[in-house]
Amino acid sequence: MLIKISLENFKSFDQKEELSMISSSKIQGNKNHRIQIKQTKLLKNAVVYGANASGKSNLVKAFAFIKTTIMDGLPVTCIDDFCKNKEENKTKESVFELQFTVGDKFYAYGFSAILNQRKITEEWLYELMQDGGAHKLFIKEGYNAPILGDDVKLSTIEKSRFNVYSEDFAGQDSKLFLTEMNRGKKYDDKSKLLFFQQVFDWIMNNIIVITPNMGISNTEAYYNDESLENISKLIQTFDTGITEIKTKKITIEEMSNMIPAEIVQGIFNQLISQMKISDAQVVQMSWRVDGGFFNVRFIQGNSEPEITTLVLKHGKSVFDFNFVEESDGTKRLFDLIDMLLTERPDTVFVVDELERSLHPKLTERFLKLFMEAHDGTNMQLIFTTHEDTIMDQVLFRRDEIWFVERDIDNSTKIYSLDRFKERYDKKLSKAYLEGRYGAIPVFKHFSFKKGE
């Protein structure tokens, strides 16, 4: 489970800001919104409010940026991703850190980089202890070879292997050592280096980022008839008019006719990179883009991927409907539907503008279904929204509600509703819109010039 994310000098984030999933001990309501791991109680939800251009989407982009950098190294576009509020930020380090649990172990993984130079300056991984201490697992500084912490005791064979990997990686400053230690590397179940694989797998597979314009999932749901039937039944409850969902095979050429070829190639490249790094026999992904909904599967040894798209039935109509013909709200539901059906344990869904194109009642129903579906499980949902009707202490705890706003220097700040210590019966949405918590638009006066 995610414990916290912290950022510094990334897009609108200047100084270090963090969003924490550690629950407040003073809040007694909605106790089922917490999961206890050892002595730590973690929240299952985080709702992030803020005005337009406040930096909400940049928080979501930070999750995606971390995953992209782990997969492929610093992207070419990152040279403009530093916080541009100050001139000195161009040559200042940007810092990214995730704290999370894998099983019952607590980790802190992060890296720093001078983004404008596409240069990673430091990378680290620590195991966090319940007494507040931390054991260093590895650290890489500058061009130096990565080194293990003193508590990592290796056998002679493993130590020799690690030294080779470490020395070969010395001088590398655009890619991460965590990635290198998962590039075709094999670890047995008793390996003292197994943490490299566990941490990599958790970040890459258990953090799912969904944006308003592109939904991405590694679900199995669209690959078998039984799960498609479940999706059909579930989608009917949202009053979309859809009565049945099927898939049909299409060619690469047909897919390229539906969406731009560069997007198609980007999808393929991402899956091919994932296959190379993980040495998997099969990799697959489902994508929703403006032109349609696609399931892409690469099988080791096959020259071309298997591609399917969705075909939808409406009522008693004898005609099939293509995904692109559906309303924006229905398309948005397909981005989110896997969140209700998934049985992948310990997943963190990070969703930008969850309510995009959805009726407020539909948004509320979706959230209640999500909580019901994953009650008692290690499933987390972090999402940004403008929908004030769900700002309700019956639906969410105070420490699950967060605000994002820009300060006088135009830098993004994050803070929790919990700091306001509101009564349980307080009408939060009314107080929010009145400006009590900040994070709302501040308008300036504008005068229309009228003719004589």
Side-chain angles (χ1 to χ4, degrees), residues 193-212:
L193 298 174
L194 196 60
F195 59 82
F196 280 107
Q197 185 183 82
Q198 293 170 337
V199 167
F200 178 89
D201 286 347
W202 189 88
I203 296 174
M204 297 309 299
N205 298 324
N206 292 45
I207 298 177
I208 308 296
V209 180
I210 300 173
T211 66

Side-chain angles (χ1 to χ4, degrees), residues 426-440:
K426 182 77 173 182
K427 184 67 173 175
L428 298 181
S429 59
K430 182 175 183 292
Y432 170 58
L433 294 176
E434 289 173 347
R436 174 174 171 79
Y437 313 127
I440 61 172

Side-chain angles (χ1 to χ4, degrees), residues 25-41:
S25 59
K26 299 177 182 178
I27 298 175
Q28 299 303 312
N30 286 327
K31 291 184 178 180
N32 62 329
H33 287 206
R34 303 180 303 183
I35 294 290
Q36 183 164 340
I37 301 178
K38 291 186 175 178
Q39 296 146 25
T40 305
K41 294 178 180 178

Side-chain angles (χ1 to χ4, degrees), residues 161-179:
R161 283 178 60 200
F162 177 82
N163 287 340
V164 172
Y165 301 150
S166 174
E167 290 168 9
D168 286 347
F169 201 75
Q172 175 63 259
D173 67 353
S174 63
K175 296 186 181 298
L176 295 165
F177 188 58
L178 180 66
T179 312

Side-chain angles (χ1 to χ4, degrees), residues 360-379:
K361 286 294 184 183
L362 199 155
T363 302
E364 181 181 3
R365 173 171 169 74
F366 175 85
L367 290 169
K368 288 180 177 178
L369 281 174
F370 181 86
M371 294 176 189
E372 179 184 336
H374 303 303
D375 186 32
T377 66
N378 291 13
M379 200 75 66

